[in-house]
Amino acid sequence: MTDKKVALVTGGSRGIGKACALELARAGYDVVINYAGNVDAANKTVEEIKALGVDSAAYKFDVSDKEQVNANIAEIVEKYGRIDVLVNNAGITRDGLFMRMSDENWDAVINTNLSSAFYVSQPVVKVMMKQRSGAIVNMSSVVGVSGNAGQANYSAAKAGLIGLTKTLAKELGSRGIRVNAVAPGFINTDMTKDLDTSKFLDFIPLKRLGEVEDIAKAVKFLAVDSDYVTGQVLEVDGGLII
Ligand code: NAP
């Protein structure tokens, strides 16, 4: 049990999730991270969070597996007693043209990026409803707004997260729970390291790719600083899809 406010960041071991976890730690939250399998990265992130003077722990579970999610959220709630901020960030890509897309790649991306937010949010919202407060930020993508050739599965999942965000904002507002989404453009992480991103610079008014801290600042704004903002999708993309 902790006296401090508690944040849970899925996919918090690396990339955008790690930056969000550190930003929330700087804001004074105890931060629980989840990860899929990269134990070294997860442990390193926990150490970096603790160095900021707050508590942290890493939970390994597959966000696309409802049973694993329920068992682990129950453990987290048992240990920390509350959850004030949830960042549904874990995600994967399995790109390919629609007509060649396998069922396996469709299901993996929908389950990991979209169904995961349903699985994780349900038990967390139960806790937030008892507290009569909480904030959820879903990690969408600009391609959930604009679509993208070669990413039918990923675009559909990220668009689904926007629908989920707006619906939960309407259902949960009266319980003191705010729900928003961030839609990043091209951000420098492991997910984009194999893409030839130079060709995108022509289309980005700010003429650079995003850094993980650009997204973390937006997440912290929506989760912590924006008491009267709910149901919104904040595009953080250097102007890519204006
Ligand atoms: P990343 O560097 O590949 O990191 C992915 C994170 O998700 C890791 O912590 C990974 O854990 C975790 N993860 C993956 N599958 C999981 C599963 N089944 N269960 C639990 N955790 C899982 O990705 P990123 O670029 O930071 O992306 C983070 C989020 O932002 C994703 O939702 C992504 O779609 C979204 N996004 C990214 C960009 C971009 O340009 N990078 C743009 C728009 C949106 P392990 O370390 O254990 O593997």
Side-chain angles (χ1 to χ4, degrees), residues 135 169 177-180 221-223 225-233:
I177 301 167
R178 298 181 303 103
V179 188
N180 291 287
F221 167 72
L222 290 171
D225 303 325
S226 59
D227 288 342
Y228 201 51
V229 179
T230 197
Q232 300 305 302
V233 182

Side-chain angles (χ1 to χ4, degrees), residues 105-231:
N105 283 349
W106 175 268
D107 289 343
V109 168
I110 295 291
N111 292 339
T112 306
N113 293 272
L114 177 58
S115 302
S116 59
F118 168 57
Y119 300 148
V120 176
S121 298
Q122 221 173 32
V124 169
V125 165
K126 200 169 165 194
V127 175
M128 290 177 170
M129 283 170 96
K130 278 195 201 139
Q131 293 166 185
R132 297 198 70 78
S133 71
I136 298 174
V137 181
N138 292 320
M139 199 58 68
S140 181
S141 165
V142 287
V143 306
V145 180
S146 65
N148 195 24
Q151 290 195 306
N153 48 3
Y154 187 75
S155 304
K158 296 302 190 185
L161 277 178
I162 292 173
L164 180 70
T165 298
K166 293 185 180 190
T167 299
L168 292 191
K170 289 184 177 183
E171 286 192 17
L172 302 175
S174 64
R175 310 299 189 107
I177 301 167
R178 298 181 303 103
V179 188
N180 291 287
V182 172
F186 290 105
I187 310 302
N188 269 321
T189 69
D190 292 343
M191 187 178 271
T192 49
K193 71 178 187 311
D194 296 330
L195 296 178
D196 175 13
T197 44
S198 59
K199 65 181 182 200
F200 302 124
L201 290 179
D202 284 347
F203 304 102
I204 301 175
L206 290 182
K207 297 293 170 212
R208 66 170 176 88
L209 297 194
E211 300 300 332
V212 291
E213 291 78 15
D214 294 318
I215 306 305
K217 284 181 209 159
V219 167
K220 192 244 182 184
F221 167 72
L222 290 171
V224 180
D225 303 325
S226 59
D227 288 342
Y228 201 51
V229 179
T230 197

